[in-house]
Amino acid sequence: MAVMFRPVAADTKSPGALLLAWAGVAAWGLAAVYFINGLTRPSGTARVAWSGQEPALPAGTGWVDGAASEGVFHFWLIESTTDRMMTRLTLVASLVTLGMVLMGAARMLQALRSTTPAPARARGARRAWLTWSAAAASAGALVPLATWLQSQTVLAAAGGPPGLEPSAGPGWGWLAAAVACLVASRLGPPDASAGPRPQPSPAAG
């Protein structure tokens, strides 16, 4: 009697997951292009806070958009190449974070639509939650840090206008979301990564 062997087809990426993954790569590529392009631009912005009604600004080279005691300081005479690198940090960090979010979405969609066994799907879902946890941590810590460094650099390049201070702090809501995603990554079938448990032999009973 002939025995027929059928090859098992490998699980392929769903079109939606591929689209999300490439969108994430595009966000990272855009961050690199924006960073390199910024080296040729003498302008920069800083998120600032001030006390009083009229903060002292450099004559003819800087201005503030904002209301009350917080806004965005614009300065367009940044000469140092190192300073110009620092003045692109906020958007670069934001685009990197966006790319991580899209990658997490691609992994989750692939896990939901995968035809692989349940343990492999569970591992894919956990990877998605871990990616989202990293993205939320980036939004809550990396982006504010980049904003503070960028603001400090722009203010220093402007000669340290009196009364203006960098305005950036941790995003506690995003950090809480990072913890929640980390917890979600731990949830799931207890035997998802270990595989099926061996059945006890009749003799053992």
Side-chain angles (χ1 to χ4, degrees), residues 42-57:
S43 60
T45 60
R47 186 168 294 279
V48 295
W50 63 87
S51 57
Q53 306 206 1
E54 293 290 339
L57 302 176

Side-chain angles (χ1 to χ4, degrees), residues 96-114:
V96 169
T97 302
L98 176 61
M100 296 168 66
V101 172
L102 293 170
M103 281 295 179
R107 289 174 173 176
M108 182 60 76
L109 184 60
Q110 179 64 19
L112 293 175
R113 296 187 176 182
S114 175

Side-chain angles (χ1 to χ4, degrees), residues 131-200:
T131 304
W132 280 336
S133 178
S138 178
L142 180 62
V143 173
L145 176 61
T147 301
W148 187 89
L149 290 173
Q150 174 176 321
S151 300
Q152 185 70 27
T153 299
V154 172
L155 289 176
L164 292 181
E165 295 292 338
S167 174
W172 298 112
W174 285 114
L175 294 177
V179 174
C181 290
L182 184 61
V183 172
S185 73
R186 301 295 181 180
L187 302 178
D191 59 343
S193 59
R197 296 178 181 175
Q199 296 294 329

Side-chain angles (χ1 to χ4, degrees), residues 114-137:
S114 175
T115 57
T116 56
R121 294 198 301 272
R123 285 193 296 270
R126 276 197 294 271
R127 288 180 62 197
W129 282 114
L130 287 173
T131 304
W132 280 336
S133 178

Side-chain angles (χ1 to χ4, degrees), residues 50-112:
W50 63 87
S51 57
Q53 306 206 1
E54 293 290 339
L57 302 176
T61 58
W63 67 96
V64 171
D65 291 333
S69 60
E70 192 168 351
V72 177
F73 170 65
H74 301 261
F75 185 67
W76 61 271
L77 200 58
I78 300 174
E79 299 178 351
S80 168
T81 301
T82 302
D83 288 346
R84 291 180 183 182
M85 292 170 60
M86 299 291 287
T87 61
R88 296 298 179 262
L89 292 182
T90 300
L91 187 54
V92 167
S94 299
L95 288 172
V96 169
T97 302
L98 176 61
M100 296 168 66
V101 172
L102 293 170
M103 281 295 179
R107 289 174 173 176
M108 182 60 76
L109 184 60
Q110 179 64 19
L112 293 175

